[in-house]
Amino acid sequence: MTTAPTTSAPAAPTAADEVVSITRDLIRIDTSNRGPGAVTSEREAAEYVVGSLQEVGLEPDLIEAAPGRSSVIVRIPGTDPDAGALVVHGHLDVVPAAAEDWSVDPFEAVVEDGVIWGRGAVDMKGMDAVILSVVRRRQRERRAPARDIVLAFFADEEAGGTRGARWIVDHQAERFAGATHAISEVGGFSVTVAGRRAYLVQTAEKGQAWLNLVARGTAGHGSAINTDNAVAHLTGALTRIAAEPWPLRLTPTVTRLLAGIADLTGLPFDGEDPAQVDALLDALGPARRFAGSSIRTLANPTRLSAGYKTNVVPGLATGGLDLRPLPGDQEAALARVAELAGDAVDIEVEGQAPGIEAPATGAFYDTLAAAILAHDPGAVILPYMLSAGTDNKSLADLGIAGYGFAPLRLPADLDFTALFHGVDERVPVDSLRFATSVLDDLLDQSAPPRP
């Protein structure tokens, strides 16, 4: 008698197996966010996320603040009901990409030499894929997290979250009930300092205020004397603001970062000595691009508009200003900008959010550090402040301490920070696979009881 050969069922894919295909799928969905008033939709990407989660037994909600402006949220119960929930969030939109500037099609998701290329590979569809692949694996294996996890994939982060995280916090805050901490993008990536691999966990973000400056004057012929020139009022205001020597101030996060760099390099550290601070920041190499802006408030003119003919003095001139105050300095910085602008220039606030700073010590920070060190035991963990902003700002209004934690072990020669919003954005496959292992471990860690 002949016995038919037995075949075993194929093993379920691991998170490391799935993360590449999910990243590529998400990149291929163009969710370019061109700002207020432009046509933007995250709907297709949101539906992809919903389907991915439904496939493993979850029941996510698709939420729209406006037609097509789609976010996805689902809560996964943990084994410890007394622990505060953890919000694990990403965003589905990306900044636009001009294909003619790229080496590859920015929405083709090319994989070459172990690297995934495409808009969103770094910011932040790669990390969205890490989250999805880890959750899918855990659901298949019926492994509950230690604490409740609120998964959120937000719309509109690249334009301030007005139709994403900000809207949900304002209108459906109950979805984050009991949450004490959050993790998301722009932190946890590695840099090389004095020959050592260090991971920068983001514990703080500068504030932001996007301002319109409006100067009014007396219109007239360009050949005549005009002491009430709107263009002169505006350009004078912007010149004064751009030249303002904002004072050096180190927050607790930045103080710990610089002290850690000093330990690694042997360089001296005096927080009141600008030269020593600069030398320590230089030791971060290309990562100084982010961390170097965290030692003082900054204001950059970004737009100018006036007139319609060279020999006509216009009665109106407008300009844009991107103000980035340190945490705690929002109101003082706005007042100083108004003072520098002068009486001839009105200031309109287009949008603003104050800076945030979560503890760079304590149980949760230590848990983040331990999750990385379990997979890279020779590394060093340092906190840093992001000079830009994330959706953690919106969650902070609910008392949720937000951290940037997209844990990528990167090649020492990769200028990673240049890839955010940059041309030829890309992420190494091995870095994403490393992140799946770290995140999986982190979801097994509990938290102190809710206060």
Side-chain angles (χ1 to χ4, degrees):
M1 184 175 69
T2 302
T3 303
T6 58
T7 58
S8 58
T14 67
D17 294 333
E18 285 199 317
V19 70
V20 173
S21 61
I22 296 175
T23 299
R24 299 183 75 196
D25 287 346
L26 288 171
I27 289 172
R28 287 168 175 156
I29 302 171
D30 184 352
T31 52
S32 297
N33 189 337
R34 293 176 172 83
V39 176
T40 300
S41 176
E42 297 88 359
R43 178 82 189 202
E44 185 180 352
E47 289 175 344
Y48 176 93
V49 170
V50 167
S52 297
L53 296 174
Q54 287 177 335
E55 187 179 359
V56 292
L58 293 171
E59 298 181 2
D61 292 325
L62 191 150
I63 304 161
E64 290 197 331
R69 307 313 306 273
S70 308
S71 300
V72 179
I73 297 183
V74 65
R75 193 178 191 108
I76 304 174
T79 58
D80 182 357
D82 294 323
L86 173 66
V87 183
V88 180
H89 64 99
H91 62 85
L92 297 174
D93 60 327
V94 297
V95 295
E100 62 271 19
D101 297 334
W102 284 56
S103 302
V104 299
D105 183 329
F107 298 103
E108 188 178 344
V110 171
V111 179
E112 186 174 305
D113 298 327
V115 176
I116 306 175
W117 299 62
R119 177 58 85 216
V122 168
D123 188 10
M124 68 167 293
K125 290 180 174 177
M127 190 58 194
D128 290 340
V130 168
I131 296 167
L132 283 172
S133 61
V134 168
V135 168
R136 282 166 59 85
R137 176 66 186 270
R138 295 178 69 95
Q139 284 291 116
R140 290 189 188 104
E141 296 175 350
R142 299 186 179 182
R143 287 192 291 134
R147 56 197 295 192
D148 280 13
I149 302 297
V150 180
L151 287 187
F153 297 86
F154 292 123
D156 201 35
E157 191 275 344
E158 296 292 2
T162 303
R163 295 188 171 185
R166 180 74 269 160
W167 189 92
I168 296 172
V169 165
D170 289 344
H171 295 87
Q172 300 184 15
E174 67 278 3
R175 293 183 179 275
F176 307 103
T180 55
H181 300 90
I183 59 169
S184 188
E185 58 178 334
V186 206
F189 58 91
S190 71
V191 299
T192 301
V193 180
R196 293 281 301 280
R197 187 157 49 237
Y199 290 84
L200 301 181
V201 173
Q202 187 236 105
T203 61
E205 299 178 8
K206 293 181 81 172
Q208 64 190 48
W210 294 331
L211 308 177
N212 294 318
L213 276 63
V214 181
R216 293 179 173 83
T218 302
H221 200 289
S223 66
I225 294 173
N226 190 324
T227 59
D228 186 29
N229 187 309
V231 175
H233 295 327
L234 177 66
T235 55
L238 291 174
T239 298
R240 290 188 296 272
I241 295 167
E244 173 70 1
W246 299 95
L248 175 72
R249 182 171 77 81
L250 307 184
T251 72
T253 287
V254 179
T255 298
R256 287 206 65 200
L257 169 66
L258 296 175
I261 298 171
D263 288 343
L264 288 171
T265 61
L267 294 171
F269 173 35
D270 178 348
E272 297 183 358
D273 184 338
Q276 288 190 17
V277 169
D278 280 341
L280 290 166
L281 290 170
D282 285 342
L284 288 173
R288 181 187 171 127
R289 184 179 288 105
F290 283 174
S293 299
S294 65
I295 60 176
R296 54 174 54 89
T297 290
L298 293 174
N300 277 313
T302 55
R303 289 186 293 103
L304 285 172
S305 179
Y308 56 89
K309 199 169 185 295
T310 304
N311 65 346
V312 177
V313 176
L316 180 72
T318 62
L321 188 74
D322 190 346
L323 176 65
R324 302 286 175 154
L326 291 173
D329 288 354
Q330 192 88 359
E331 295 305 318
L334 286 166
R336 180 57 178 155
V337 165
E339 182 181 1
L340 291 167
D343 294 338
V345 177
D346 294 327
I347 297 177
E348 302 170 349
V349 179
E350 180 181 322
Q352 67 168 316
I356 56 176
E357 188 158 22
T361 59
F364 187 70
Y365 179 84
D366 290 345
T367 298
L368 297 178
I372 292 176
L373 294 175
H375 297 275
D376 195 353
V380 175
I381 312 299
L382 298 174
Y384 91 104
M385 180 188 295
L386 178 65
S387 56
T390 74
D391 285 328
N392 277 329
K393 281 188 170 68
S394 295
L395 296 174
D397 288 353
L398 302 178
I400 299 171
Y403 293 78
F405 191 73
L408 301 173
R409 184 171 59 196
L410 299 167
D413 60 352
L414 179 64
D415 185 357
F416 184 67
T417 58
L419 301 178
F420 286 83
H421 297 192
V423 172
D424 287 342
E425 184 179 349
R426 58 198 183 275
V427 65
V429 168
D430 286 346
S431 299
L432 294 177
R433 289 174 172 157
F434 176 84
T436 65
S437 299
V438 175
L439 180 61
D440 190 50
D441 282 358
L442 179 66
L443 297 189
D444 284 331
Q445 306 305 311
S446 191
R450 289 191 294 264

